[in-house]
Amino acid sequence: MCGSELHSLPEGVQRVAAFLQQAGHGTAPRMLDGAARTAQEAADQLGILVGQVAKSIIFRRKSDGLAVLVVTSGDRRVDEKKVAALVGPVGRADADFVKAQTGFSIGGVSPVAHAAAPVTLMDRELQRFDVVWAAAGHPHAVFEATPTALQALTDAPWHDVVQEDKP
């Protein structure tokens, strides 16, 4: 993107696109025909495995009200106890909190370009894939990255933050 294309995108997508461009990320956000508010919707539209969707889950840290972002594989569920062991007790974040802290609405929360910097943890399960797709600031926008590139963009450590699979 050279810059002029950004003005036709929704504000959140413009912010993500500018962040990616400034970071030297080679792939710009892509607008989808339909909404990708869930990992399954995104996977269906992109023709990928659900696990390749890097979903952004926001929690509220109880001690100070800070946003905690967990970027996890779309086919996994976050284990709040594992997250709490790393950052302290957390609780659910409502839509107003998510919007105020990230600048994005639920269903389009990007792992980058937040309004206020969250505490961020990366789910090591994302490393199972060569390429993952993350929300780009709008329910119809996504961007592609390798797990290593996404980790570098978020500057977040890799952790085991998901529930164990049940046989």
Side-chain angles (χ1 to χ4, degrees), residues 61 80-88 119 121 157-161:
R61 188 160 59 186
E80 288 184 43
K81 290 179 183 175
K82 289 181 178 179
V83 173
L86 295 166
V87 302
V119 173
L121 304 172
W158 292 110
H159 286 287
D160 172 12
V161 292

Side-chain angles (χ1 to χ4, degrees), residues 44-103:
D44 290 347
Q45 288 200 53
L46 293 164
I48 60 173
L49 298 171
V50 175
Q52 287 180 269
V53 176
K55 61 184 180 181
S56 296
I57 309 294
I58 300 288
F59 294 95
R60 184 180 198 146
R61 188 160 59 186
K62 291 181 178 180
S63 65
D64 57 9
L66 194 63
V68 176
L69 166 65
V70 179
V71 183
T72 187
S73 186
D75 61 353
R76 301 292 194 253
R77 292 185 55 85
V78 174
D79 185 327
E80 288 184 43
K81 290 179 183 175
K82 289 181 178 179
V83 173
L86 295 166
V87 302
V90 295
R92 299 282 179 183
D94 65 19
D96 291 337
F97 178 82
V98 171
K99 180 72 172 179
Q101 293 296 305
T102 68

